Each structure stands twice: as C-alpha cells, then as structure tokens.
Amino acid sequence: MVREFELPDVGEGVAEGEIVDWLVEEGDAVEEDQPVAEVETDKAVVDVPSPVNGSVQEIHAEAGEMVPVGTVIITFAEEGDDDSGEATTTEESTETDAATEASAATGDVETTAEGTADEETPTASGRVFAAPSARRLARELGVDIGSIDGSGPGGRVSEHDVRAAAEDAKEVDEEGSDSPEPATTRVEGSSGTDAGEGDTTGGGAAQASSTGQPSASGSAAGGATAGESADRERTLAAPATRKLAEDSGIDIDAVPTDEERDGEAFVTPAAVESYAEAQQAAQDADREALAGSRGEERIPYRGVRRTIGQQMAESKYTAPHVTHHDEVDVTALVEARTDLKELADEQGISLSYMPFVMKACVAALREFPMVNAMLDEEAEEIVQKKYYNIGVATATDAGLMVPVVEDAGRKNMLQLASEMNELVEKARERTISREEMQGGTFTITNVGAIGGEYATPILNHPEVAILALGAIKEKPRVVDGEIVPRKVMTLSLSIDHRVVDGAIAAQFTNRVEEFLENPQRLLLEA
C-alpha cells in the first residue's frame, strides 16, 4: 500500500515549514519513527519521522522549499508492497492528475497517461535526480534531462534548470539559423509559403516549424517561450484562468500560447502559471545580478528570523517602551560566585551570574507584581501573574531565542543553573521545543556577554518588562571616603508604560540592586 505523508503541524500555530534537508533518498528502506527530513518552523528545526516501515517511493518537495502544513511532502511504499503494485498505483495516480490538469485547462476529458517517472533516472553519465514536475516539463520542451546539470541539493534538477536548458537550446538553434543554410523556414502544409509570410489558409495554424519554434501563425496567436511576452489585443480564456492571471498580477494578453479556439489565441491555467514562474525567475535573476554588481548578498527572510522580526515589530508598535538605566556594585556578588563555582563544578553544574540575577528578580517581582503582569487588551484588564517563569534571551546562529525556566521562584540556585544551562544548549543546537519557549512572565537578556554595557531591549510581548545586564567592569567608586576599584554592572530595564509607571520601574530596579549588592540576602528568599 502506498502511504502519502503530509507535513504535520509540528507546533501550535505553525502554518508552514522549510525543508532544511532530506535524510533519505527515493528507494531507501525506512523504519517507523526513523527521521526522514529536517524541517525548520518559525521556532526551531525538528525531525520529521516516517509513519511506516517500508521504502521511500517519491519525494515531493525539495530542500530549501517552504511547504504549507498539510501538503504531501513524501510518499512511502509500506512493507510488503511489490513492484507491480507500486507501478499500478503510480500509473493510476498519474492518469488522474493528467486528466484533472487537462480538463481544467481545456475542458476536454481525453488525456494521455504518461506515468510518473521515478526521480532517479539512469543515464549514460550516471543517475539524474529530478522532481516529476521537472521531468514532465523536460518532455514537454523536448529537453534531454540527462544532459542538465542540476542546481539543487545533490545535483537535483529543478523546473528552472529545465527551462534554462531549453532557452540555451533555443539560442543554439537561432544561431544555426543565421548560417548560409536556407534563409527561410517553411511550415508544413503551407504550400511553400515562407514562414516569415505566414499561412493565410489557417491549415498550418498549430504546426511547428522545422526548427521547433512556433510557426508564424502560432506567433500571431501568442506563441512564445514562457519567459517572453506576447502582445495581443484579444485573448480567449476560461473565467477561472482570467482570475488566476489577475491574482498573479499577470496581463493575460501577454501570456504566450500556441493554442487557438475559433481562430483566437487561447490561454490555459498551465500557461499562466508557467509565464508567472518565468517572469518571477527573470526578476529574481535581475535582482541577483544587480546585487552582485553592488557587492550585495540576498538572504531569505523566513523561518526563525522572520518570526523574530514579526514579534519585535508587534512589541515595538504595540507597547510604548521606556528604558530605565542604572549601575550596581557587584563586588560581593563576584566573590560569592567565585566561592560557590567550585562546589557547583563538583556536581557537574556550571554556575554563572545569571541564576543570582534570576533569584534577585523573582524576589523583587514578588514585591512589585505589576512588573510581572500582562495587559489583556480585549478584556481591558491587567493580569498580574502569581508565578514566575523567567525567560533567558539566548543568541543562536538562527537568531534570538528565549527559553523559559518555569517556576523559578520554587527552585534553588543550582536547580536554576542546571535547568537554564540545559535549555540554552538546546536552543543553540536548535533542538528546543516550542513549549519550552512559551509562558514567560519576565525576561532577562545579557548584553554584557559580548561586552555591552547599556541597551534598550525590546519587550518580549505580552510581557511588560525585560532586564538587560551589562558587562561587569572594574570602575572607581568612593568607599568610606576613599576611591577604590569596584566591580560594577549596568542594568537596563525596559517597560510597557501602559502598565508599569516609571516610578515602579525605578523602585523595582533598586530592589534588584540591593540583592545583587548583598547576595547573602538571597538565602532568605524562598
């Protein structure tokens, strides 16, 4: 039995995912729950497992492709299927697809079942990997797919590669036509009429010239390659086709076609889609060429990076941000952490300054609950949280992620350190789950890790406060009337001014400073 596998909803609210890499190839044997692909969502990279024991029959999406949830991305042949069964299923599926395409395009029900070719095709030079759609396009354009150097992962041939090869072949043919060989090309059935003069009888309207290019009659009907534009005053097309062209921003009179109805150019949905793809490819090529000439590089804005951008924009444009800055003498904290670090190491736990700051923030949040709140705009209510889930902003190769340490108020220093280290590592390795980055009530970000002192951090909406820690630096301070070197750290607290007043922000920061200046006071906190 053939099993079609759709891209699952790998996280709440995820609408699409990018195929980062295929871990299998067509024909490979797979076991149930074996990872077959890596998919990047708006939060993380996750493995997609096989639902069955069997083999990979067909891969429907290429690496790097954005795929909506619910789209079939791979087809499996379950264990026990024989070759004949697979061939029958494939042929029947292809016949159905071909019939659907033909009827949608022309209204006819007659079609030819070609059968879906396997992506892996043996050629004189080896194997060729290509999507079925690319293989079908190659047949339609008369291109030998075995002669194409694929630009996709592993040399996979895409539809763009096929069209490029067809254009190259066309240019070669046109160069050949410039030779001293016959200067005119005749259309079959035109009674010797030159192709340049056209066939006025209509008998050769759908015939091709000996070079494989559209005849003069075909050109009048709009015949051209997909990348070229036709120039017609009148075009016949089904209403659905016109709607498709309109939605795609395409002038239907510019869509090239060799088909006619009642002597008028007739455009099918496939022609519109092909023309739109060719136009987009041309625009992309022009954009890349321009960027290259300027020494630029274009990077896709999607996945985690796009999600970060959307959330930052929502936060900044929704909440009026105000940032309060201050400094705190953490000489005693540095000494305390030095004393405890060796004990933590003995238990296999790396102890940084962050757990001390987390404990200090929880203690201050208990005293100033408005800082541990959110604004429910729909209900017009401020929701004060009686639990303390502390987010730790983490820089990763994919961008900023915020793992959340839940119930931080109920955990001791080593528990906080251990759980935070584990979550941060998972975020950097892109193995963290969506659930482990949700539910935060207050966030801490450490700009001092890269040498920064002050910042204006953006709120992790719908939270109403975020604290940025600066680098600990030795600075002169007056102690008992004498100037002495002390360890000083900067603090930058951004607030949602709709909920938190400036006075509350300053008082909260002062309380955090008291705990950091006297870390032994944290021993009295739960």
Side-chain angles (χ1 to χ4, degrees):
M1 184 175 71
V2 173
R3 174 78 172 272
E4 291 185 336
F5 184 75
E6 300 175 350
L7 178 66
D9 184 353
V10 294
E12 182 181 352
V14 173
E16 62 182 3
E18 178 183 355
I19 307 295
V20 176
D21 191 23
W22 284 106
L23 307 179
V24 295
E25 295 182 355
E26 293 184 355
D28 286 355
V30 294
E31 297 179 354
E32 186 175 357
D33 293 331
Q34 173 186 335
V36 296
E38 292 180 345
V39 175
E40 179 178 346
T41 68
D42 58 358
K43 286 294 184 182
V45 173
V46 296
D47 288 337
V48 175
S50 168
V52 298
N53 293 322
S55 61
V56 179
Q57 186 181 74
E58 184 176 355
I59 292 176
H60 299 277
E62 297 191 24
E65 183 177 344
M66 293 296 295
V67 181
V69 168
T71 301
V72 176
I73 59 173
I74 188 170
T75 302
F76 298 96
E78 292 196 41
E79 203 169 64
D81 291 349
D82 56 26
D83 293 338
S84 62
E86 292 181 12
T88 301
T89 303
T90 303
E91 184 175 354
E92 290 174 354
S93 174
T94 305
E95 290 175 354
T96 302
D97 292 343
T100 302
E101 292 175 4
S103 60
T106 65
D108 298 334
V109 296
E110 182 178 352
T111 184
T112 301
E114 301 175 7
T116 302
D118 197 0
E119 275 194 349
E120 182 180 328
T121 301
T123 66
S125 59
R127 301 183 303 174
V128 175
F129 292 90
S133 58
R135 199 172 304 284
R136 183 167 55 249
L137 180 64
R139 290 196 298 269
E140 293 172 355
L141 298 179
V143 176
D144 178 12
I145 201 165
S147 65
I148 301 175
D149 292 329
S151 61
R156 186 185 298 272
V157 177
S158 66
E159 292 184 36
H160 176 74
D161 296 329
V162 173
R163 290 194 177 94
E167 287 293 318
D168 291 342
K170 175 190 173 186
E171 292 175 2
V172 171
D173 289 340
E174 288 176 345
E175 291 174 0
S177 65
D178 293 336
S179 65
E181 297 297 320
T184 59
T185 307
R186 301 185 182 276
V187 179
E188 182 181 347
S190 62
S191 302
T193 305
D194 288 343
E197 299 172 0
D199 181 1
T200 58
T201 65
Q207 302 296 325
S209 68
S210 60
T211 64
Q213 302 301 317
S215 68
S217 300
S219 297
T225 60
E228 298 175 349
S229 297
D231 185 14
R232 297 184 299 271
E233 295 182 357
R234 176 180 172 82
T235 300
L236 298 181
T241 305
R242 294 184 182 277
K243 180 66 165 56
L244 175 63
E246 181 180 352
D247 292 344
S248 303
I250 297 298
D251 178 6
I252 200 165
D253 290 329
V255 178
T257 180
D258 290 331
E259 296 194 33
E260 288 188 356
R261 294 290 187 275
D262 299 328
E264 298 282 355
F266 181 80
V267 170
T268 65
V272 172
E273 292 174 352
S274 178
Y275 180 69
E277 290 176 1
Q279 293 294 97
Q280 184 61 52
Q283 292 175 8
D284 291 345
D286 291 343
R287 191 181 301 114
E288 291 176 3
L290 179 60
S293 66
R294 294 176 176 175
E296 300 174 352
E297 178 185 3
R298 287 183 170 265
I299 301 172
Y301 182 62
R302 60 193 183 202
V304 174
R305 172 53 56 191
R306 181 177 63 183
T307 300
I308 293 172
Q310 291 170 342
Q311 291 178 342
M312 291 292 185
E314 179 187 8
S315 177
K316 196 66 176 176
Y317 292 130
T318 300
H321 284 55
V322 173
T323 305
H324 173 79
H325 301 284
D326 211 338
E327 290 184 336
V328 55
D329 186 333
V330 292
T331 303
L333 174 62
V334 172
E335 294 172 353
R337 185 248 183 180
T338 301
D339 293 339
L340 297 174
K341 188 177 186 302
E342 185 175 345
L343 297 176
D345 289 340
E346 292 176 359
Q347 299 185 44
I349 299 174
S350 176
L351 182 63
S352 65
Y353 292 105
M354 184 63 75
F356 292 91
V357 178
M358 293 171 70
K359 291 289 285 185
C361 286
V362 169
L365 289 171
R366 287 195 175 104
E367 189 173 346
F368 300 96
M370 197 63 79
V371 184
N372 196 55
M374 64 165 284
L375 178 61
D376 187 339
E377 296 184 65
E378 186 174 343
E380 297 184 337
E381 295 175 339
I382 295 173
V383 183
Q384 291 185 351
K385 308 295 180 67
K386 303 301 182 182
Y387 50 90
Y388 308 95
N389 296 341
I390 307 300
V392 181
T394 303
T396 74
D397 291 339
L400 186 68
M401 295 188 182
V402 186
V404 175
V405 179
E406 296 184 349
D407 289 325
R410 299 183 179 181
K411 296 171 180 175
N412 62 39
M413 199 76 69
L414 291 183
Q415 288 174 324
L416 290 175
S418 178
E419 186 172 335
M420 181 197 70
N421 293 340
E422 180 181 353
L423 289 170
V424 168
E425 186 67 21
K426 290 171 70 174
R428 288 174 175 160
E429 292 179 352
R430 307 293 301 282
T431 59
I432 193 168
S433 69
R434 190 182 184 90
E435 292 74 19
E436 291 171 315
M437 295 187 289
Q438 294 178 331
T441 62
F442 182 85
T443 296
I444 304 172
T445 180
N446 184 12
V447 299
I450 53 176
E453 284 196 78
Y454 292 99
T456 54
I458 296 177
L459 297 170
N460 189 15
H461 188 73
E463 297 170 20
V464 297
I466 179 173
L467 179 66
L469 309 177
I472 297 176
K473 296 184 178 181
E474 197 168 61
K475 297 182 179 181
R477 287 293 183 268
V478 177
V479 179
D480 297 330
E482 295 183 3
I483 299 177
V484 295
R486 304 289 288 181
K487 301 293 185 181
V488 178
M489 180 170 66
T490 54
L491 302 177
S492 302
L493 178 73
S494 288
I495 58 170
D496 182 344
H497 216 341
R498 298 174 302 172
V499 177
V500 183
D501 293 332
I504 296 295
Q507 291 168 1
F508 170 82
T509 305
N510 289 341
R511 187 67 74 240
V512 171
E513 291 174 5
E514 290 177 11
F515 286 110
L516 297 180
E517 288 176 347
N518 304 283
Q520 67 272 16
R521 289 187 54 182
L522 295 174
L523 298 175
L524 302 178
E525 297 297 322

